Amino acid sequence: MSEERSLNFLEEIVEADLAAGKHVEIHTRFPPEPNGYLHIGHAKSICLNFGLADKYGGKTNLRFDDTNPVTEDTEYVDSIKADVRWLGFDWEEEHYASDYFDQLYAFAVALINKGLAYVDDLSAEQIATMKGTPTEAGKESPFRNRSIEENLFLFTAMKNGEYNDGEKVLRAKIDLASPNMHMRDPIMYRIKKTHHHRTGDTWCIYPMYDFAHGQSDSIENISHSICTLEFEVHKPLYNWYIAQLGIFPSNQFEFARLNLTYTVMSKRKLLQLVQENLVDGWDDPRMPTISGLRRRGYTPLSLRNFCERIGVQRRENIIDVGLLEFCVREDLNKTALRRMVVLDPIKLVITNYPEGQSEILKGENNPELEDNGGYRDLPFGRELWIEAEDFMEDAPKKWFRLAPGNKVRLKSAYIVSCTGFEKDASGKVTAVHCEYIPESKSGQDTSGINVKGTMHWISAEKAETAEVRLYDRLFQVEDPSSEEGDFKSYMNPNSLEIIEGAKIEPSLLEAQPGEQFQFIRKGYFTLDSKLSASGKLVFNRTVTLKDAWSKEMKK
Ligand code: ATP
Ligand code: MG
């Protein structure tokens, strides 16, 4: 978007820091945990981090926050890299918190040596209960005042695998009476005898998020460490570690996470949908994941524009998914190739068009583009497919589609006048009859006839067949996570409609994955990259042409 907007609060901070000479160059990072696929909320974080660096001539690192070996996997690492690139961003350096395990261990030893960390034998539950409450101070562990020598000895033994999971932890020695619970001697290291996706079995102790994140920022000289609001309460701890270790003073700034209506946005919940086969994988076109949106037909530009439009706030809110749909429509209207597809076909027979005759008409690719984006061939003949819903036997007055006696224009072809229809024994209309007006050919119409309706159609002789998938909201309620009970009970049972025998114009046989189409009057579509692999064509509807949902709600 080119319209000028005022600075957001993060840009104000960066500008002030640069003006004050606090940093010569800014350095941000995007720090995903590789425990799932990225979702549109992450896209917001990516756009902010890379956007700030781009705007102020700085750099952005991609750092995998892989300190929990239990939930992490290289499949996720690969998908995250692919998604960030697809969104249009390129990182300066690629890092893994696990690359810093030696350094983090040395930091921990340094804190022990300063008398600021101790090995505790209490269990996780005991530690939790002894932490107190926000209004009541915590109690000291009986192991809090071990000597530095003993702590060094025990921490080394922890590292060497001499204890089992949960037997010992390393804690920071801060303040058990702090009003901030995170400062009440937080755990720095715990034992987890689990294989790590990068370090294998080298380590059996792993740093906690708080002991890894700030130090990783510091090691990479990150000037502005941007994260979501829930980390605001961690900030004093983030600063405490950096100050006690005397390392590069990275600074944390928080913004409100993106929430979107009719979906869920936590990897844990999305993983449940995948594991319970409630969706077709992380990239199911109904998922709010970047890979799902890509498969659905969203473009990188539409997602970046969406992130720009929603801006950045300090207070939580929920964004109407209609805005996301608006952004993709806006982009696709400018770029998508116009094509004709009939989803629910019935025959239209042009009784005055000679049998055995046919012709090739020209269809514009996109009227929004210069020279209409070029033209494609549209075979035309005596028998066509039209949408069943475009014919009515007893039509009301303002019906501008086909009905006995009505005239309509067939898009890029001729005006036809409806003369009759055929029914089968059950009373179902099986074919519509009409006569065409030869002088009304599109582009060279001399008929002088004006009609109100334009319809799409396909030559019955040349039509190909495809599967078309129409999607609706994955959930029936605006904010499934805030409803009572299991969020999965609010799933929309009609979120996927499969149409097997759609008739498509022959030019669509050449459709490529990643190419976007507007199926005239039906919406924006793209080839399904996964299901179309076998030679069968499957098209996904990205979005309708208009917002059918809010209209439905107003009824
Ligand atoms: P989730 O809760 O969905 O599992 P997370 O915060 O655990 O997300 P991370 O991989 O740790 O996911 O996130 C990487 C970065 O993306 C973090 O800086 C995080 O704050 C940010 N982020 C995650 N979810 C959102 C969101 N909904 N909106 C904006 N930023 C987000
Ligand atoms: Mg996280």
Side-chain angles (χ1 to χ4, degrees), residues 148-161:
I148 290 173
E149 290 67 36
E150 190 182 4
N151 282 320
L152 287 173
F153 177 81
L154 292 173
F155 188 48
T156 309
M158 275 172 66
K159 178 192 180 218
N160 291 341

Side-chain angles (χ1 to χ4, degrees), residues 397-417:
K397 263 222 169 102
K398 294 223 158 157
W399 178 256
F400 300 120
R401 294 181 257 168
L402 284 175
N406 267 18
K407 286 192 182 65
V408 302
R409 169 164 297 280
L410 297 176
K411 174 81 183 160
S412 304
Y414 299 92
I415 293 175
V416 295
S417 171

Side-chain angles (χ1 to χ4, degrees), residues 31-33 35 42 65 209 228 230-231 257 267:
E33 184 180 353
N35 62 350
H42 293 114
D65 210 340
Y209 170 87
T228 36
E230 68 270 24
F231 293 105
R257 62 195 297 116
K267 280 181 279 182

Side-chain angles (χ1 to χ4, degrees), residues 255-435:
F255 68 94
R257 62 195 297 116
L258 167 66
N259 301 302
L260 205 58
T261 54
Y262 299 103
T263 193
V264 292
M265 201 99 83
S266 113
K267 280 181 279 182
R268 192 177 50 78
K269 290 191 174 120
L270 296 173
L271 179 64
Q272 275 184 55
L273 299 179
V274 173
Q275 284 178 336
E276 295 175 30
N277 289 318
L278 297 168
V279 293
D280 174 29
W282 284 97
D283 64 351
D284 184 300
R286 293 164 294 179
M287 291 279 268
T289 51
I290 294 179
S291 49
L293 290 164
R294 173 169 61 230
R295 193 172 152 197
R296 174 94 171 239
Y298 276 76
T299 58
L301 181 63
S302 66
L303 298 186
R304 294 199 305 266
N305 282 345
F306 170 72
C307 291
E308 174 73 21
R309 271 213 170 85
I310 55 177
V312 47
Q313 287 84 26
R314 291 268 311 147
R315 200 169 299 156
E316 287 273 344
N317 60 354
I318 181 161
I319 304 284
D320 188 334
V321 68
L323 180 61
L324 180 62
E325 294 173 346
F326 171 84
C327 290
V328 75
R329 271 188 207 109
E330 181 186 53
D331 185 20
L332 293 181
N333 181 44
K334 292 185 204 135
T335 57
L337 300 172
R338 274 47 170 176
R339 295 291 182 260
M340 294 201 275
V341 169
V342 174
L343 298 182
D344 181 17
I346 55 163
K347 276 274 174 70
L348 178 71
V349 183
I350 307 173
T351 52
N352 64 340
Y353 197 91
E355 260 180 87
Q357 188 176 310
S358 66
E359 62 190 293
I360 300 289
L361 302 174
K362 293 287 174 195
E364 55 198 21
N365 278 326
N366 184 339
E368 302 287 320
L369 296 176
E370 205 175 308
D371 300 325
N372 291 317
Y375 292 81
R376 71 206 192 271
D377 286 350
L378 281 172
F380 186 83
R382 181 181 160 90
E383 294 201 359
L384 309 177
W385 292 114
I386 58 164
E387 231 38 92
E389 63 173 19
D390 280 342
F391 172 76
M392 256 181 120
E393 196 179 331
D394 295 308
K397 263 222 169 102
K398 294 223 158 157
W399 178 256
F400 300 120
R401 294 181 257 168
L402 284 175
N406 267 18
K407 286 192 182 65
V408 302
R409 169 164 297 280
L410 297 176
K411 174 81 183 160
S412 304
Y414 299 92
I415 293 175
V416 295
S417 171
C418 183
T419 51
F421 55 92
E422 291 170 35
K423 273 186 177 176
D424 64 12
S426 70
K428 186 172 169 263
V429 175
T430 53
V432 178
H433 290 185
C434 69
E435 289 182 356

